[in-house]
Amino acid sequence: MQTSTAAFPKKFDLLTPIISNEQVAQDHYLLRCACPEIARGALPGQFIHVLISQAGVLQAASLLLRRPFTIFTVEGEQISMLYQIIGEGTEVLSHLKPGDPLRVLGPLGNTFHIPLDLHPAIIVGGGAGIASLMLLAIALRKSGVRTLGLVASMNRARLLSVAELKRIGVEMHIATDDGSVGHHGFVTEILTQILEQPHAHELSQPMIYACGPDGMLRAVTKIAQDYRIPTQLAMENRMGCAMGVCLGCVCKVRMPDGGFEYQRVCTEGPVFNAAEIVW
Amino acid sequence: MQTSTAAFPKKFDLLTPIISNEQVAQDHYLLRCACPEIARGALPGQFIHVLISQAGVLQAASLLLRRPFTIFTVEGEQISMLYQIIGEGTEVLSHLKPGDPLRVLGPLGNTFHIPLDLHPAIIVGGGAGIASLMLLAIALRKSGVRTLGLVASMNRARLLSVAELKRIGVEMHIATDDGSVGHHGFVTEILTQILEQPHAHELSQPMIYACGPDGMLRAVTKIAQDYRIPTQLAMENRMGCAMGVCLGCVCKVRMPDGGFEYQRVCTEGPVFNAAEIVW
Amino acid sequence: MNSNPTSLEVHVAGIRMKNPVMTASGTFGYGSEYADFIDLNQLGAIVVKGITSVPWSGNPMPRITETPPGMLNAIGLQNVGVDGFIEKKLPYLRNFDVPVIVNICGERLEEYLEVTEKLDAADGVAAIELNISCPNLHCGGMSFGVDPELTYELVNSVREKTALPLLVKLSPNVTDITVIARAAEAAGTDGLSVINTLLGMAIDIKTRRPMLANITGGLSGPAIKPVALRLVWQVYNAVNIPIIGMGGIMTGDDAIAFFIAGASAVAVGTANFVNPRAPLDVIDGVHTYLKQYKLDSIKELVGSLQT
Amino acid sequence: MNSNPTSLEVHVAGIRMKNPVMTASGTFGYGSEYADFIDLNQLGAIVVKGITSVPWSGNPMPRITETPPGMLNAIGLQNVGVDGFIEKKLPYLRNFDVPVIVNICGERLEEYLEVTEKLDAADGVAAIELNISCPNLHCGGMSFGVDPELTYELVNSVREKTALPLLVKLSPNVTDITVIARAAEAAGTDGLSVINTLLGMAIDIKTRRPMLANITGGLSGPAIKPVALRLVWQVYNAVNIPIIGMGGIMTGDDAIAFFIAGASAVAVGTANFVNPRAPLDVIDGVHTYLKQYKLDSIKELVGSLQT
Ligand SMILES: Cc1cc2nc3c(=O)[nH]c(=O)nc-3n(C[C@H](O)[C@H](O)[C@H](O)COP(=O)(O)OP(=O)(O)OC[C@H]3O[C@@H](n4cnc5c(N)ncnc54)[C@H](O)[C@@H]3O)c2cc1C
Ligand SMILES: Cc1cc2nc3c(=O)[nH]c(=O)nc-3n(C[C@H](O)[C@H](O)[C@H](O)COP(=O)(O)OP(=O)(O)OC[C@H]3O[C@@H](n4cnc5c(N)ncnc54)[C@H](O)[C@@H]3O)c2cc1C
Ligand SMILES: Cc1cc2nc3c(=O)[nH]c(=O)nc-3n(C[C@H](O)[C@H](O)[C@H](O)COP(=O)(O)O)c2cc1C
Ligand SMILES: Cc1cc2nc3c(=O)[nH]c(=O)nc-3n(C[C@H](O)[C@H](O)[C@H](O)COP(=O)(O)O)c2cc1C
Ligand code: FES
Ligand code: FES
């Protein structure tokens, strides 16, 4: 997605000790480490590619490939990532302790486009998907943009980042699969409700920013189309290199001529214009 | 080698936390863990087969095969092993901390033969090879057998177990490659000296027990033949299963009929009659 | 289909097994070696180390080395010979209620036939697994298993000598495995074992010597699983006889992938060296999967890949 | 032999390189992607992603998955096409003092020839690497590289179209690689790249779907190193032209093993994805080894396996 003509920051591959790696919700961990060079340039939506090597042995890791995670927050020289345990890599990662070395490549990818007259921003995060929207939310609130936050989770125990988002002034709406907190059902139902509200005309220049499971992204895209609201999606495909060379991470993107092209989530993305994604 | 008609102890595969894992000399570590079932049955010369899995992930370890180590000592329910860092496995092993889980299979292999009228026992250990002779030395001294201990090492910093052996009454002789302690040269030179001594006739029913690098074992075998002293070698071949099925660990053994046979170090060994080994 | 919702019993290539998990030839000895860890009665079947007409002493050392994560071996078929096997090893195995499958090999057609006849006459052999990856002396050491005509001739001749269920074990080191698989099928084998080891090599860069005295050796273990799965799937789409899948199976989940690709049963090999209870852990894992996905039998899985 | 005791310079198949370490096709893009990490001038050579006569959009997703320790890919040769390459990618690469080797592929002989002619006329191409593992549409999708006659015809035709140094990249998925290697040699190639990926497959047992949309894919990374080393050694013993060795090279020590097996140069592939400085680390490692073993040049290592 051509969101910006500004050159993206230079990339670094840093070997850095883990500062903290703590469980923040069921199956979810927050990991912090000092990466001054990455922290300096990181833009909302950008990600890091992390080498989860056991015992620090680079060439012999049975987890050969790195794993991509969005930069969750930046504080001074430190960056953090919020991740869900879904397979072997994240499982091993969750066992790493402060002081253990981590290899972090970044910052990678493009960034969210924030129009000047944006009002309001609606961010929609499913599961760990909210991790990809935190830096964006912070940036939006800093510029005083009214921001609605819709977060979806399986249940209360897996709910992420709600307090942090509230603290920075995001108007929060919650949906859980089991109704243990907030709306019992899909987050897209909340989205429709909001757009149907009588004062929905207040949404003068709205933009939806979404990240989460494919199903949710497709549903959000559909609603956005129905209400003609421009939407940006942060895609999370399986990655090889994250450097744009293996072509393993592509998604199908509609071209102006009606055809399509496979574009790299790691390079042209991870942020794409929802209207252009061919599912 | 048919050293004993007694049935060897039953084998166990135990998952047990490491109690301690400390450096005892340059490149050498001593690891202790509780393995009651193995401790109970262990005989001098027997070994364990250790799974060095990073992060405890059995099936995904990049170090696929286990590594064999002699049982160095047995104290109550605890066993220990003394090992040298020589490759990736021992390197990873040396980084494991107390509490980290280890998988230990044992006790494995045959044991040293100790004749009733043995006098004296001469144990010859090269490098980490001395680790294979410690339980034997303890058993010999318990039965009051006069025991000469010849240990070889690259240098003072790598010297192993001398104090412990002295404490139990082994008469120690040391050789180092750089002369930093003891005889400056090969341990086999000390062996020849001893056998050449005027009172060498005192060696009424001697037996040599040796473990170490192949070169040393061959030299010891040669000297033993010259002086007609029966000799047992603890062999340390690369192992796959350590259960007698892969046939990967064999050594060439001379047969009574003049032919030879490949025998399994893990099953027929690790202790072999030196005279029968075809180098 | 089975009435017991989680029965693992299968009937493959004329062999009735309590479950579809066997041990791979050369990785489980003659069974007794693992008796401290495994009740042999719990296994689907035992495949013993390759047997030849006369005892073989095998290759010089070193014979094995490790690769990430796998191993190379060049054992050279050290074995007690068919007579030694029948006399010394088979009686022990007869004590158990588990099918014994005998893996056989030879350098000449006649050797295969001799071994087959002796096993056919022996008591306690459930099936024969024909290892066609052995060097064929008549063809300059090239293995029988890389040529469809040689394969047909060999399998056909052995088939005539025995009514025992016959499995043919295929080599992965071929351009098109389906051609060999179909030749074996046409010659009358009851099933196919897929795969034997991949030919590999490792070098000690300090001494510049090969890590194996034999220079090259067979690669096994997790490293070869993707190749093995692909070959099982290719063979499944080419023949109408059952397949025993193997190559890098360490867990129940690995076995499930082989069933989905088209195997009717699986064999556990190198995993035995890492975990002496590996076959039982695989059986448990298969059981758990069937329960979790509410499947009545393995059959529902076999070849169920959604493409 | 070189007077500088630790010079890594080599001259392989008509390509002069500062050191014998190149990047493998498809794993290093068109060079610019790694510019934050690597001074391209330090590389022995850059082999770019496979180029075809017209742009290819490639295979559907998912295209990659991981296996222990390796990866499967089925990218399907997504590329900008030869015109796009010459216009958009080559100018950037001309800024550097590093040989650019262009990997090419096609489904018909004519496509290969068209691409060759255009590259021959372009400025800044040091050599052509012929990927003969592409499906050959004339032969029902079977790849050129599994048949010695097709290989001969293809290489011979390309050879006639260009005076550029020519490398032929061999597939490991064949019964006897030496037959193909000799066919390529007879047809006049200057060197051989050994190996391309092994054909493999992975299955998601939760969904019972293949992990790759293409069902099968190419296995690369450390898992295939033993097979790659074996094939380099076999080819080395069969031909008299230089070999570029590749397959699972992660470190300088890995590269050294390939030299000992018979490679005159090496290529670093999947390692780039793990470590963006991998080629430089490999170069450093090779350097260190030469110093430690007091060798004057790589040449002393090539094919030095003590058997
Ligand atoms: C740009 C980007 C940013 C991301 N940011 C975050 C983040 O901030 N927090 C977070 O928790 N996760 C994030 N992810 C997803 C994260 O990368 C994966 O969850 C992780 O790689 C899984 O590794 P694993 O080894 O645990 O799972 P694996 O064992 O590799 O896989 C387990 C299962 O999940 C599937 N899978 C693996 N990776 C992906 C993927 N990327 N997309 C879809 N399916 C996959 C596999 O096919 C397999 O079925 C991001 C992904 C991308 C591409
Ligand atoms: C019965 C037995 C008892 C042993 N007892 C001890 C002991 O008490 N203390 C101790 O320090 N070591 C002992 N060893 C040796 C020990 O098993 C090896 O040092 C260890 O397996 C090396 O593992 P690694 O992963 O560090 O090295 P690797 O990376 O596997 O190998 C490094 C290098 O050493 C070579 N190598 C590996 N294993 C062996 C071997 N067994 N023999 C010869 N060369 C080998 C490899 O070929 C390679 O060149 C014993 C071996 C056996 C068979
Ligand atoms: C040490 C060893 C010895 C083997 N011996 C034989 C054999 O005698 N006959 C045979 O057909 N296969 C033999 N094989 C191959 C295995 O039976 C099996 O096909 C192969 O190892 C792949 O499975 P795995 O990856 O689970 O080990 C042997 C394998 C190993 C590792
Ligand atoms: C993602 C990916 C894409 C590849 N694309 C090509 C290609 O276009 N042309 C080609 O000849 N080889 C291609 N290869 C094969 C590599 O060049 C190399 O031969 C193989 O990966 C083995 O080396 P490795 O194990 O170091 O990766 C590709 C490999 C990977 C992993
Ligand atoms: S992950 Fe390799 S191109 Fe995107
Ligand atoms: S290590 Fe397998 S037989 Fe000895």
Side-chain angles (χ1 to χ4, degrees):
Chain A
M1 187 165 124
Q2 305 294 338
T3 44
S4 159
T5 52
F8 285 106
K10 187 167 147 64
K11 298 163 189 166
F12 296 89
D13 186 24
L14 308 174
L15 184 64
T16 183
I18 292 173
I19 293 173
S20 67
N21 187 21
E22 279 153 20
Q23 190 163 1
V24 292
Q26 193 179 337
D27 294 341
H28 290 79
Y29 285 72
L30 180 69
L31 184 151
R32 288 186 308 134
C33 55
C35 296
E37 294 87 345
I38 297 176
R40 205 168 299 141
L43 301 168
Q46 285 197 304
F47 66 100
I48 49 180
H49 209 32
V50 175
L51 185 65
I52 307 167
S53 62
Q54 306 103 319
V57 186
L58 186 78
Q59 70 274 26
S62 74
L63 288 162
L64 181 67
L65 299 175
R66 295 181 180 228
R67 299 291 191 272
F69 301 95
T70 306
I71 302 171
F72 179 58
T73 59
V74 176
E75 287 171 61
E77 305 207 318
Q78 291 182 18
I79 61 171
S80 75
M81 50 179 271
L82 176 67
Y83 64 96
Q84 180 182 10
I85 299 189
I86 71 154
E88 199 192 327
T90 44
E91 171 73 37
V92 172
L93 192 60
S94 72
H95 291 295
L96 297 186
K97 298 183 188 70
D100 286 347
L102 203 67
R103 249 189 195 283
V104 181
L105 176 66
L108 300 165
N110 67 352
T111 182
F112 292 104
H113 176 52
I114 306 182
L116 281 179
D117 49 1
L118 172 61
H119 177 82
I122 306 175
I123 65 179
V124 186
I130 192 68
S132 299
L133 303 167
M134 180 58 94
L135 267 192
L136 171 71
I138 293 170
L140 290 169
R141 292 302 301 144
K142 251 199 195 145
S143 331
V145 177
R146 184 185 167 200
T147 306
L148 311 184
L150 282 58
V151 304
S153 165
M154 275 173 66
N155 53 35
R156 182 188 288 271
R158 288 193 175 78
L159 203 61
L160 297 171
S161 309
V162 173
E164 291 92 319
L165 288 166
K166 269 192 186 152
R167 194 174 326 120
I168 59 171
V170 176
E171 300 160 36
M172 295 301 295
H173 302 262
I174 298 165
T176 51
D177 295 352
D178 66 353
S180 51
V181 53
H183 172 70
H184 185 170
F186 292 128
V187 72
T188 42
E189 289 157 7
I190 306 185
L191 180 60
T192 313
Q193 261 174 28
I194 290 177
L195 300 178
E196 283 291 342
Q197 271 166 17
H199 52 281
H201 58 272
E202 283 179 23
L203 313 183
S204 54
Q205 288 288 351
M207 174 84 77
I208 298 175
Y209 299 94
C211 182
D214 281 1
M216 187 197 93
L217 295 187
R218 294 167 76 156
V220 168
T221 304
K222 173 81 180 53
I223 295 168
Q225 266 161 355
D226 292 349
Y227 291 87
R228 298 219 173 73
I229 302 184
T231 297
Q232 297 173 40
L233 306 180
M235 305 289 282
E236 301 198 333
N237 288 3
R238 234 181 268 160
M239 288 192 173
C241 63
M243 297 284 291
V245 305
C246 76
L247 306 178
C249 66
V250 297
C251 61
K252 215 169 178 170
V253 174
R254 199 167 283 117
M255 292 285 95
D257 67 2
F260 75 89
E261 188 178 275
Y262 284 118
Q263 289 192 355
R264 298 163 296 184
V265 170
C266 69
T267 307
E268 281 81 40
V271 181
F272 288 89
N273 184 335
E276 290 171 3
I277 297 288
V278 185
W279 288 98
Chain B
M1 186 164 127
Q2 305 295 334
T3 43
S4 157
T5 53
F8 284 105
K10 185 168 148 64
K11 298 162 190 164
F12 296 90
D13 186 26
L14 307 175
L15 184 65
T16 183
I18 292 174
I19 292 172
S20 66
N21 187 22
E22 280 154 20
Q23 190 164 0
V24 291
Q26 192 181 336
D27 292 341
H28 288 79
Y29 285 72
L30 180 69
L31 184 152
R32 290 184 309 132
C33 55
C35 295
E37 295 87 343
I38 296 176
R40 205 169 298 140
L43 301 168
Q46 284 198 305
F47 65 100
I48 50 179
H49 209 33
V50 175
L51 185 65
I52 306 168
S53 62
Q54 306 105 315
V57 184
L58 187 77
Q59 70 274 25
S62 75
L63 289 162
L64 182 67
L65 299 175
R66 293 180 183 231
R67 299 291 190 272
F69 300 95
T70 307
I71 301 170
F72 179 60
T73 59
V74 175
E75 286 171 63
E77 305 205 321
Q78 292 182 16
I79 61 172
S80 74
M81 50 179 269
L82 177 68
Y83 63 98
Q84 179 183 9
I85 299 189
I86 69 155
E88 198 191 326
T90 45
E91 171 73 35
V92 172
L93 192 60
S94 73
H95 291 295
L96 296 186
K97 300 186 187 68
D100 285 347
L102 203 68
R103 250 188 195 283
V104 182
L105 176 66
L108 300 164
N110 69 350
T111 182
F112 292 103
H113 176 50
I114 306 182
L116 282 181
D117 48 2
L118 173 60
H119 177 82
I122 305 175
I123 65 179
V124 186
I130 191 68
S132 299
L133 303 167
M134 181 58 93
L135 267 192
L136 170 71
I138 294 171
L140 290 169
R141 292 301 301 144
K142 251 200 194 141
S143 331
V145 178
R146 185 183 166 203
T147 306
L148 311 185
L150 283 57
V151 305
S153 164
M154 274 174 67
N155 52 35
R156 181 187 288 272
R158 288 192 175 79
L159 203 62
L160 299 170
S161 307
V162 174
E164 292 92 317
L165 288 165
K166 270 193 187 150
R167 196 176 321 122
I168 60 171
V170 176
E171 300 159 37
M172 295 300 295
H173 302 261
I174 297 166
T176 51
D177 295 352
D178 66 352
S180 51
V181 53
H183 172 70
H184 185 171
F186 290 130
V187 73
T188 43
E189 290 157 7
I190 306 184
L191 181 61
T192 312
Q193 260 173 29
I194 291 176
L195 300 178
E196 283 292 344
Q197 270 166 14
H199 51 281
H201 58 274
E202 282 179 22
L203 312 182
S204 53
Q205 289 287 351
M207 173 83 77
I208 298 174
Y209 299 94
C211 183
D214 280 2
M216 188 198 91
L217 295 186
R218 295 167 75 156
V220 168
T221 303
K222 174 80 179 54
I223 296 169
Q225 264 160 359
D226 292 348
Y227 290 87
R228 296 219 175 73
I229 301 183
T231 297
Q232 297 174 41
L233 306 180
M235 304 289 283
E236 301 199 333
N237 289 4
R238 235 182 268 161
M239 290 192 171
C241 65
M243 297 286 289
V245 306
C246 76
L247 306 178
C249 64
V250 298
C251 60
K252 217 168 176 171
V253 174
R254 199 167 282 116
M255 291 284 96
D257 66 3
F260 75 89
E261 190 177 274
Y262 284 118
Q263 288 192 355
R264 298 164 294 185
V265 169
C266 69
T267 306
E268 281 82 39
V271 181
F272 288 89
N273 184 334
E276 291 171 3
I277 296 288
V278 184
W279 287 99
Chain C
M1 200 168 314
N2 208 293
S3 60
N4 179 339
T6 51
S7 158
L8 295 183
E9 192 174 314
V10 292
H11 196 142
V12 175
I15 313 160
R16 184 172 291 283
M17 302 188 278
K18 296 190 198 84
N19 60 65
V21 181
M22 35 179 102
T23 59
S25 174
T27 67
F28 205 69
Y30 303 101
S32 59
E33 293 88 339
Y34 280 93
D36 279 352
F37 297 97
I38 286 195
D39 173 5
L40 300 185
N41 287 323
Q42 293 187 32
L43 296 173
I46 294 175
V47 184
V48 300
K49 172 76 188 160
I51 298 289
T52 49
S53 60
V54 292
W56 285 11
S57 62
N59 287 334
M61 288 288 291
R63 291 178 169 185
I64 55 171
T65 191
E66 194 180 8
T67 64
M71 63 178 283
L72 280 170
N73 87 76
I75 304 303
L77 267 172
Q78 176 174 350
N79 80 96
V80 294
V82 65
D83 297 332
F85 171 73
I86 292 171
E87 255 171 60
K88 291 181 216 152
K89 306 295 180 182
L90 203 49
Y92 173 84
L93 288 166
R94 270 193 222 110
N95 296 324
F96 299 90
D97 174 28
V98 59
V100 174
I101 301 174
V102 184
N103 181 278
I104 71 171
C105 201
E107 287 170 325
R108 291 170 297 112
L109 177 60
E110 298 72 37
E111 289 179 52
Y112 277 101
L113 300 181
E114 183 195 333
V115 177
T116 302
E117 282 177 332
K118 287 182 173 169
L119 290 173
D120 189 67
D123 188 23
V125 175
I128 289 176
E129 181 179 61
L130 216 60
N131 180 355
I132 58 172
S133 311
C134 292
N136 173 4
L137 288 194
H138 286 312
C139 292
M142 188 232 244
S143 102
F144 286 93
V146 301
D147 181 300
E149 274 149 48
L150 288 177
T151 300
Y152 181 89
E153 191 196 339
L154 176 63
V155 176
N156 194 47
S157 311
V158 169
R159 173 77 292 173
E160 282 171 6
K161 295 285 179 199
T162 182
L164 283 173
L166 193 61
L167 302 172
V168 173
K169 185 155 176 184
L170 304 183
S171 164
N173 306 300
V174 295
T175 305
D176 185 355
I177 199 169
T178 64
V179 176
I180 314 290
R182 275 193 293 255
E185 182 182 34
T189 188
D190 298 295
L192 297 168
S193 297
V194 183
I195 58 171
N196 214 316
T197 52
L198 277 169
L199 199 57
M201 176 170 169
I203 293 174
D204 183 338
I205 64 168
K206 294 198 197 84
T207 59
R208 300 200 217 162
R209 294 184 168 283
M211 290 290 277
L212 303 178
N214 191 52
I215 305 178
T216 61
L219 183 64
S220 64
I224 70 168
K225 198 183 78 165
V227 176
L229 264 181
R230 184 259 300 180
L231 290 166
V232 165
W233 185 73
Q234 287 182 326
V235 172
Y236 178 77
N237 287 302
V239 300
N240 294 308
I241 48 178
I243 296 165
I244 321 294
M246 70 199 76
I249 294 176
M250 304 293 281
T251 66
D253 284 357
D254 293 336
I256 296 295
F258 277 86
F259 294 132
I260 295 171
S264 294
V266 296
V268 176
T270 304
N272 291 306
F273 305 164
V274 182
N275 172 13
R277 283 180 50 88
L280 300 189
D281 289 353
V282 168
I283 295 169
D284 285 351
V286 169
H287 213 265
T288 306
Y289 181 94
L290 290 190
K291 269 195 191 156
Q292 190 183 337
Y293 288 86
K294 302 195 172 51
L295 299 170
D296 284 343
S297 88
I298 293 291
K299 275 190 208 154
E300 294 178 49
L301 275 182
V302 177
S304 65
L305 188 72
Q306 314 280 316
T307 56
Chain D
M1 201 170 306
N2 209 293
S3 60
N4 179 339
T6 51
S7 158
L8 294 183
E9 190 174 316
V10 292
H11 196 145
V12 173
I15 311 160
R16 183 171 291 285
M17 301 188 279
K18 294 189 197 86
N19 61 64
V21 181
M22 38 178 99
T23 59
S25 172
T27 67
F28 204 71
Y30 303 100
S32 58
E33 293 88 339
Y34 279 94
D36 279 351
F37 297 97
I38 285 194
D39 172 4
L40 301 185
N41 286 323
Q42 293 187 33
L43 296 172
I46 293 174
V47 185
V48 301
K49 173 75 187 159
I51 298 289
T52 49
S53 60
V54 291
W56 284 13
S57 62
N59 288 332
M61 287 289 292
R63 289 178 169 185
I64 55 170
T65 190
E66 194 181 7
T67 64
M71 64 177 282
L72 280 170
N73 87 75
I75 305 301
L77 267 173
Q78 176 175 347
N79 80 96
V80 293
V82 65
D83 297 331
F85 171 73
I86 292 172
E87 254 172 61
K88 291 180 214 151
K89 306 293 178 182
L90 202 49
Y92 174 82
L93 288 166
R94 271 194 222 113
N95 296 323
F96 299 89
D97 173 27
V98 59
V100 173
I101 301 175
V102 184
N103 180 279
I104 71 170
C105 202
E107 287 170 327
R108 291 169 298 112
L109 177 60
E110 298 71 39
E111 289 179 52
Y112 278 100
L113 299 182
E114 184 195 332
V115 177
T116 302
E117 283 178 331
K118 286 184 173 168
L119 291 173
D120 188 67
D123 186 25
V125 176
I128 289 177
E129 181 178 63
L130 216 59
N131 179 355
I132 59 173
S133 311
C134 291
N136 173 3
L137 288 194
H138 285 313
C139 293
M142 186 231 246
S143 101
F144 287 93
V146 303
D147 181 299
E149 274 149 49
L150 288 177
T151 299
Y152 181 89
E153 192 195 337
L154 176 61
V155 177
N156 193 47
S157 311
V158 170
R159 174 76 293 174
E160 283 171 6
K161 295 284 180 201
T162 183
L164 285 173
L166 193 61
L167 302 173
V168 173
K169 185 153 177 184
L170 303 182
S171 163
N173 306 300
V174 295
T175 305
D176 185 355
I177 199 169
T178 64
V179 177
I180 313 291
R182 276 193 293 256
E185 182 183 34
T189 189
D190 298 293
L192 297 167
S193 298
V194 183
I195 59 176
N196 215 316
T197 52
L198 277 168
L199 199 57
M201 177 172 167
I203 293 173
D204 182 338
I205 65 169
K206 295 197 197 86
T207 59
R208 298 199 218 164
R209 294 185 169 281
M211 290 289 275
L212 302 178
N214 192 51
I215 306 179
T216 61
L219 184 62
S220 63
I224 70 169
K225 197 183 76 165
V227 176
L229 265 181
R230 184 259 301 179
L231 290 166
V232 166
W233 185 73
Q234 288 183 328
V235 171
Y236 178 77
N237 287 301
V239 300
N240 294 306
I241 46 176
I243 297 164
I244 321 294
M246 70 199 76
I249 294 178
M250 304 293 280
T251 65
D253 285 358
D254 293 336
I256 296 293
F258 277 84
F259 294 132
I260 295 171
S264 294
V266 297
V268 175
T270 304
N272 291 307
F273 305 165
V274 181
N275 173 11
R277 283 181 50 89
L280 300 190
D281 288 353
V282 168
I283 295 169
D284 285 350
V286 169
H287 213 266
T288 306
Y289 181 93
L290 290 191
K291 268 196 193 159
Q292 190 182 339
Y293 288 87
K294 302 193 172 49
L295 298 170
D296 283 343
S297 90
I298 294 291
K299 275 191 203 150
E300 294 178 48
L301 275 181
V302 176
S304 65
L305 188 73
Q306 314 281 316
T307 57

